[in-house]
Amino acid sequence: MATWTRKPQEKEGSYFFSGQFLVTRGVNMELSPEEILAIYQDVQAFVKEKDGIDYLQVYVDEEGRKLFFIDQLNREMIESGDYAEEDNHCTLMFAHEY
């Protein structure tokens, strides 16, 4: 099992990664459920600590593999209610899948 480390975010943001959690096929095939859950929980803890974060969170492992965790809707978009429910999701993917 790899150890994934979150890189410092480049910008502040108002994203909460609170929508449906999606995982790409590549991530699902290469990472264990425990690794996926640990990354999700790390982002949730970071959101709580900062009261909103950048839409893009980047994780790397000791082998140099890179994951992107991307949220679709920020606080203002969600509060407006002007979005389709299926648009409220966050996706964990390998950088090469982007």
Side-chain angles (χ1 to χ4, degrees):
M1 187 162 91
T3 300
W4 293 93
T5 304
R6 181 174 22 87
K7 302 284 282 181
Q9 61 181 9
E10 294 180 4
K11 298 179 184 179
E12 298 298 316
S14 61
Y15 290 81
F16 288 85
F17 291 78
S18 59
Q20 182 180 8
F21 177 41
L22 304 175
V23 177
T24 62
R25 181 178 305 213
V27 169
N28 202 37
M29 289 176 58
E30 290 193 38
L31 273 63
S32 70
E34 292 81 12
E35 288 172 294
I36 294 169
L37 180 60
I39 291 166
Y40 182 75
Q41 289 174 333
D42 180 69
V43 163
Q44 292 301 306
F46 192 46
V47 163
K48 187 174 182 179
E49 174 188 330
K50 296 288 190 180
D51 192 31
I53 58 177
D54 188 25
Y55 80 99
L56 172 63
Q57 298 298 309
V58 179
Y59 286 80
V60 294
D61 72 359
E62 59 276 354
E63 297 173 17
R65 296 184 298 171
K66 187 182 287 187
L67 291 169
F68 289 165
F69 198 1
I70 302 173
D71 198 7
Q72 299 299 311
L73 301 177
N74 67 15
R75 177 188 335 232
E76 294 78 20
M77 295 170 184
I78 291 171
E79 287 176 354
S80 77
D82 190 25
Y83 65 92
E85 190 61 36
E86 63 269 12
D87 293 335
N88 190 9
H89 65 274
C90 53
T91 307
L92 182 62
M93 67 182 72
F94 280 107
H96 67 267
E97 294 178 300
Y98 183 68

